[in-house]
Structure formats: structure tokens, C-alpha cells
Amino acid sequence: MFILKPRKSVPLSLTLLVPVVAIALTLLMGGLIFGFLGYNPVEALYEFFVAPLSRPDQIGNLLVKACPLIIIGTGLVFCYRANVWNIGAEGQLVLGAMGAGWLALSFPDAQSPLFIFAMSVAAMVAGGLWGAIPALLKIRFRTNEILVSLMLTYVAALLLDWIVRGPWRDPMSFGFPLTKTYPDAGLIPALILPGIGRLGQLHWGVVFAFIIAACGWFYLARMLSGYQIKLMGDAPRAGRFAGFSQSYNTMAVLVISGALAGLAGMIEVSANIGQLQPNVSFGYGFTAIIVAFLARLNPLAVIVAGLVVALAELGGDTAQISMGIPKVVTGIFKGILLFMLLAGETLTRYELVRVVRIKAHQTPAQQEES
Amino acid sequence: MVSPKTSKSSASPPLLAGFGLTKSFGDFTANRNIDFTIYPGELHALLGENGAGKSTFVKMIYGLLQPDSGYFEWQGKPIHFSNPQEARAAGIGMVFQHFSLFEAMSVVENIALALPPEFPKEGLPKLIEQKSAEYGIPLRPHSLVADLSVGEQQRVEIMRCLLQDPSLLIMDEPTSVLTPQETMQLFDVLVKLAKQGCAVLFISHKLEEIKQLTSRATILRGGDKIAEVDTHTKSTNQLAELMVGTKIAAIKPPIAPKNAPAIMQITGLSRPADGPFDTALRDINLTAHAGEVLGIAGIAGNGQSELMDALTGEWRGTQIGVFKKGAEDISQLNPAERRLNGLAFVPEERNGHAAVPSMRLSENALLTSFERAGAVQMGVVNQNYAAQFADRVSAMFDVRRPEANPLASALSGGNLQKFVVGREIAKKPELLIVSQPTWGVDVGAAQFIRKAMIDLAAGGASVIVISQDLEEIFAVSHKIAVLHEGSLSKAYPAAEMNPQTIGLLMGGSTIDNASKTARTISKKTNNRVAG
């Protein structure tokens, strides 16, 4: 039998070597799979990793793809650091999009440059409230926040579906489930880089994603309330002994992560779509869970992890378009990549130790000791 | 009661002998070149401070660890146990400090679980009763473990070993959880076992007990075998010096202040039990006086943790006015607010309650000082303040750190305990409430902590010490009260108390009549013991 044992210290060489090995193994296994399925492995890997980075506009698109992942991932880091398992960011994202959409559709003549910030606030309130539901149920009735937040995702998706087909549908949409388009003041402008101009779809939301991740890091690393979150996650008894409230903490992290997911939803719609439709997200709320863990629950690392995951997503799209590789195959490849990265990360912190098997009959004490 | 000291019979060959045993963990050598012998029927003590290598050594005997070098001989033949099953098959039994019993199962079920599959289970209750009678171990086979006292639970563990007819029984700090009376009962059993030829290896750092029970002691210090001594001919002080390596200055029992003002008062505090394994607090009354150390004795599980939670404010009931500091009602304040009112607390559990192992020392310093001026500015933690405070505490309390600001988990138990106690004392509280201040801490650190508490009281503060260690209660207290099944006895002057009277209160006997003097109490004790 093998067990994972925490390493006493992690040598620097290991930290540097492991990601390289993980990516090499991914390329090897991915290449084998592509080859086995009859695609040219070198070409496929090129489409996956190099093509998305080969043109400046593609880099812009990569950043756009990473934007919601970074914002939601940062919020999820707060939850997971506090040992609160919010799996429902996708639903909170949808509610955020609806909250902002309600404001945009209510004021079709809005002109103020501040309108977009009002929409951000509406999105964060809506997403935060949606996140508060599992928190409230957990505090009041000790329900499991994993189940409640996950189930609320489906509620949110159906709510959006209904509202764009029903009450909020644009009468001029020829029967399509679409709302009116937002006023210009409700759209996020493209980011024009000095000397370069537009970079693909790059928009101002990306800048805020980086700022949010940096603020999230400062909050967790330096602020008393961040200390409280970590404390409650690491040692809830010590947290109560310090004088913090577990209920307050649970509520706080779920509202924060809900609000950030809501903001990401608003940015997605206002920057890329311009109106509400039945689908506003490509599963960002779920993918961000992987991002948060890949970043080892560090908001600064969330930026890197968000970019890596976005690259895999984008590469998958590219490979589908240019080589006709089926979506399921690119999905498998993305899975291998994430598996290798997470396994490598785990093996950096833990070592695999072989333990001698002990015969069946033993007391629990001895099991503990051995 | 106990007729101690089964002397070794040097003529017979040793039951177990170890030669040049060495065991290292990385750079750390836990055992260095240790020789050891134990004879059939011998009561042998393994004596040493925390971290001296006692546990490593017995784990090698029991097959839980393998020596790096050196070997054992069992009944004259070289032997190697690669796991506890082999050790048990050879005839070695071990009772761990922490029991491994299922609370929701009966005694018989718990024992049956621990036996090898080939062991016949049909006549088990009968066999248990028979062994009970044979060794004088009262045990009710069909009662639930959750309903048993700690002493009874320990007997279940011993019974598990006895059913396999061991020739060597290893007891790891068995008395740390027992009342004085239960300890006497245990010693009776061990002496009986020894008379029947079973050797007992008794691990402890309580010197009085070792002198009382055993005839020989192997003393470990820092992984080395320091001495093998005849426990008859050595005084406890000599044993302590061998164990610690330096002369121990006994701390002076404090002088009680007269007519000191009350600092804090609890009247009629009650708390319902949260679950089947929790204890309800019933009508607790308690007054803390300036300059005074109040010891609260009691066996584990009689409401200590519930009382501590109520004192810190981690649990707050709906009763108003039950907990007052001076004239102010603090019964609804949370721990941070209580600390701002001049209280300070050290809960029993270091890891995950009083301190967070996964956090650095400065962050642990912040745990109970973030509410103080300067610690946090505009919501941002003042890193310097926390680091300096941690440094100051470490310097004042001689906390040995591997680096300037290590993770709390990198400190040894004794050093971390000095840190969490020092962290509170450094804030100069008016009232310090400490639970199990020296639990699992080496003798040197324990002395240091006790002295710091006494000094704090001498400076005019009030100190409440909740402890299961009677030696400690007597060493530091001016007054002593006993917690039994969630009720707190009246506080008696320490000078009027002795282990017997406390033992009676621990066992639930009521001598709460204030007019009765200690003399009648001890008379009563003698009568009871005689009867």
C-alpha cells in the first residue's frame, strides 16, 4: 500500500522541475492519444499550445477568456480558504448577469459613464445575495453548502432561461430568446493599447480582473478580516477562541465569492454579448474551481492558473476549428493537462511512501500508530 | 493497599533485553545506543521528560518502529518484531495513553474487536468476568464505553491485553487520566500481574508513582540512556535531577493574601449538555480574588472543557448577570471583548485551539491580541506589532525557536505551551484563566509556567488554574475547588486539603458543608478507606 506523506521541506529544484515534467507528460500522453485517433500529434499539439499565442489578437482573446476565471477564482479562494465549499459560482455568475441586465434594461437611455459601475454594483449585490442563500441555510439549519450552492446553479440557469423567453424578451427579437441590447453606457469598452491598438477582444474588464486578484491577495495576506477567514478555515476552534464568529465568516466568504462571480457575469455580458440570452457563460463558474485549486488558493497565483486554464480552453477551440478534432477529444486533453498539473502539485508537497501491509486484525490504536 | 516493589530475580534470564538500540528520524536521533533489560515479574519504570525518547523506545519494543541499529533478545533469543501483531503473538501487550475505544459500543464488543480472528468469541463475556475476578479489575462487560469513567475505560484496554496472556505489559503514562483512588486500584492490578510473573514496563514522569510502584528505572534524557537505577535507594529529587540533568529548584508554595478584593464573580452559571458525550454545567458559583491562585481540580470529562468555553465566552448562554467582572456584567461578551476587559485565557488544547499549528508565531501572537491598540490599523494587520510581540513573548518565556518566526508546528510541545501562556501573561491581565497549563510539557517548562502564574498572582492579578494534575494544583493554588459532573464544589483553602479529600470530591462525595473543617474531612476519608 502507498500513502502520501507531507514533505518536511520542498527543495527548489523540485518546485521548478515538477511543472516541466507535468507538461512534458501531458504532451507525451496527448500526442499518443491524438496519434492513436489518427491526427498528426505534432500539429495537434501546435494548435493547442502555440497557435493561441502566435498572433497578438489571440493573446488578447486569451486574456479575455482568463478574465472571468480570475475574478471568480479569486472569490472561490476566499471560500475555500475558510473551508466553505462554494460549488455554485456558475449560478451566482448568472444572477449577477441578471442583476446588471435588469439595470441596463430599466434605463435604456442611460448616458452616464458611471452607469457601468452602477451595473457592477447591481451584479455584485445579486450574485452576493444568491451566495447568501447557502450561507443562511448552513448557518440556520446546518445544511451542506456544497449541495445547496450546486443546486441553486440549476435554479439560476432556469431562471435566466425563463426570463429571456418571457418577461424580459425583446418584442422585436423575432421570437428568439433575447433581451433588448444594452445601452452603450452599459457596455464595457475595448481596451486600446497605446501604440498597438486593439488586441483581439481585449476589454477593460481584464484590467479589473488583475486588480481584483491583487486586492484579494492583499485582503487575505494583510487584512485582519483575511486573517479571520484563514483562521476559521485552518482552526475554527482557535477562531472562536480569538473572538470571531463562524456564522459571520461563512456568510462573509459566500457573499464575497458570490459577488465576485456576479461581477464576472456582468463583465461577460457587457463586454462580449451586449444583451441577455439563455447562455451567458461557458461554465466559467465550474472551471474557476479548478483555477482556484491549481493556484493553491493564492489569489496572485490565480492569475497564472487562470491564464493556463484559459490557454487550454482556447487551444481546444482552435484545434476543433482548424483540425476538426471533436470536442470530446479536446476535453480529454484538457483533462489530462489539469490532472498532470494537479498531480505534480500534489507530489511537490507530498511524497509517495510505501507502507508495509499489516494483517487484518489490529486495534484502531495500532492502525493509528503504524 | 499497594504492596509495592517486586524485586528482580537476577538469577533468572531477562525476559527482554535490548542492545545498542538506535533510532533516528532524519537528522534527529530519538534513541542513541540504548541497552535495556527487564526480567519476568519485574515492575520496571521508563523515566524521562517529554521528548526524551520514551515513546520511540517502547514503539520499537512493540514492533511499531524498527531500530536503525541494535537488536532485542526475547527470552534469550534474538528477535525482530516487524509489526505489533508479531509482538503480541510473542506475548507483549501495550496500553496506549490515548485509548482507542468506540464509545457507542459495549465493553465486550470493544474487546472482541481487538482480538485476533481465530480467538473464540462465544465465551467472551464469561472469560472477561473470570479475568476480572482473577486480577481484581472490576468491569461490567455489557455497559457502553461512553458511560464508563476514564479509569474504567483504561481497564477495558488492560483487559484487551490480558486476554492474550502477555508476559510483558507496557503502560504508557497510565495515571495521567486517573484520580488518586483509581491510581491506587491500577497499582494493585499491576502488582498482582507482576506477582503472577508478568513483567510491567511503566512509562511515566511522575516520580512519586515510580518510587511507589517500581523497583528499577531506566532513565532516558535527550535520546540517551542516562542511568539505570534502583528506585528504592534514590530520592525523588535525585530521580528528577537524573531525568532533567540540572538541579531542580522546587517552586515555593505561595503565601495567601488576606482580604483580597474579588475581581470576578460567577453566580449560578448553568449550561445544558450539547450532546450525549458532553457534560452539563450545574449552578456554578465561583469568585476570583486579586493576588490569589484558584485551582480547579477534577478528572477529565467532568465539565472542564464546557466550563472553560463558558469562561472564555466561546459559549454564551442566555443568562444575564451570571458573570461579572467588578460591577460589569460580561456574560454576553465574546472572547475578544472579555480580553479587552482585562481577562486572558489559555485553553487546554494547544493545537488548533490556543494556537494554530499551520500559522507562524507572529500570526499566533495576533490570535489573542488583535483587539489591542496598535495591532490593527484601518483593518490592516500591523505585521511589525505582531512580530515584535511574538519576539517579546519568546524572549520573556524562553521559547526556543528554530528560526525567527517559525510555524507554530515547528515548536516542541513545551515551547509552544510556554508561548501560549506567555502570550497571555505578557499582556498583564487582571484575571488569567488557564486550563491544563502543563499538559504534555517537560518538567523544566512546567516549572517555568507554574512560576510565571504564581508571579502573576503575586503582582496582584487573579489566576484560575483548571488542572487534572493534583501535584500541579497543590503546587500553585491558594484555594482549591473540585469539578465533578458539571458541579463545582466550594473553594477550600489549599492548606486544608490533601489528595484524599480532593479524591473524594472528585468521586462525587459531598462535603460541601462549609462548617466542616478539613480535619473532619480527612477523618471521613480514613474511615472510608478503612471501610
Side-chain angles (χ1 to χ4, degrees), chain B residues 471-494:
Chain B
E471 222 174 290
E472 171 162 280
I473 291 276
F474 279 111
V476 299
S477 310
H478 298 105
K479 283 190 186 152
I480 300 175
V482 175
L483 193 61
H484 173 70
E485 290 188 354
S487 295
L488 188 67
S489 79
K490 176 184 172 294
Y492 299 94

Side-chain angles (χ1 to χ4, degrees), chain A residues 32-97:
Chain A
L32 282 174
I33 290 175
F34 290 133
F36 183 69
L37 291 170
Y39 301 98
N40 180 344
V42 176
E43 197 189 334
L45 291 174
Y46 177 86
E47 292 295 339
F48 243 99
F49 285 110
V50 187
L53 298 175
S54 59
R55 295 200 320 266
D57 65 313
Q58 288 281 52
I59 292 176
N61 293 344
L62 177 73
L63 290 167
V64 168
K65 195 95 178 163
C67 171
L69 296 177
I70 291 169
I71 297 175
I72 303 169
T74 301
L76 291 180
V77 164
F78 278 72
C79 272
Y80 300 161
R81 270 291 180 89
N83 228 345
V84 173
W85 303 99
N86 179 9
I87 308 295
E90 183 77 2
Q92 292 141 19
L93 179 154
V94 167
L95 257 288

Side-chain angles (χ1 to χ4, degrees), chain B residues 104-172:
Chain B
M105 294 171 100
S106 75
V107 170
V108 179
E109 287 166 329
N110 265 290
I111 291 175
L113 272 174
L115 293 172
E118 61 273 14
F119 199 95
K121 303 285 185 332
E122 297 78 42
L124 199 54
K126 202 156 225 173
L127 191 60
I128 292 172
E129 274 166 18
Q130 183 194 326
K131 289 266 176 192
S132 286
E134 189 180 338
Y135 293 104
I137 308 175
L139 209 55
R140 294 163 287 159
H142 295 290
S143 44
L144 276 189
V145 167
D147 299 333
L148 301 183
S149 72
V150 180
E152 288 173 306
Q153 292 186 16
Q154 190 177 55
R155 287 180 216 145
V156 178
E157 290 274 9
I158 295 174
M159 184 57 70
R160 277 177 166 181
C161 295
L162 292 186
L163 285 176
Q164 300 190 51
D165 293 318
S167 7
L168 171 61
L169 182 64
I170 305 171
M171 305 282 300
D172 190 4

Side-chain angles (χ1 to χ4, degrees), chain A residues 155-175:
Chain A
V155 177
L158 291 170
L159 201 61
L160 175 66
D161 196 73
W162 167 71
I163 219 158
V164 297
R165 287 174 202 278
W168 289 8
R169 192 173 70 186
D170 179 8
M172 310 296 284
S173 70
F174 306 105

Side-chain angles (χ1 to χ4, degrees), chain A residues 177-248:
Chain A
L178 296 170
T179 64
K180 285 194 174 122
T181 51
Y182 290 1
D184 281 352
L187 299 178
I188 293 176
L191 178 61
I192 317 283
L193 294 170
I196 303 176
R198 278 172 184 263
L199 206 59
Q201 306 288 320
L202 191 63
H203 56 73
W204 274 97
V206 174
V207 176
F208 283 92
F210 285 100
I211 294 174
I212 285 166
C215 291
W217 174 83
F218 184 81
Y219 190 91
L220 277 178
R222 292 280 180 265
M223 308 265 299
L224 181 65
S225 20
Y227 173 74
Q228 174 180 353
I229 288 169
K230 290 184 289 182
L231 188 59
M232 280 300 183
D234 280 8
R237 266 197 100 183
R240 285 197 297 276
F241 171 59
F244 299 130
S245 151
Q246 179 91 59
S247 306
Y248 170 85

Side-chain angles (χ1 to χ4, degrees), chain B residues 33-51:
Chain B
N33 203 17
I34 291 178
D35 294 332
F36 173 83
T37 48
I38 187 166
Y39 293 88
E42 186 189 355
L43 288 159
H44 191 110
L46 189 59
L47 178 62
E49 292 191 272
N50 260 48

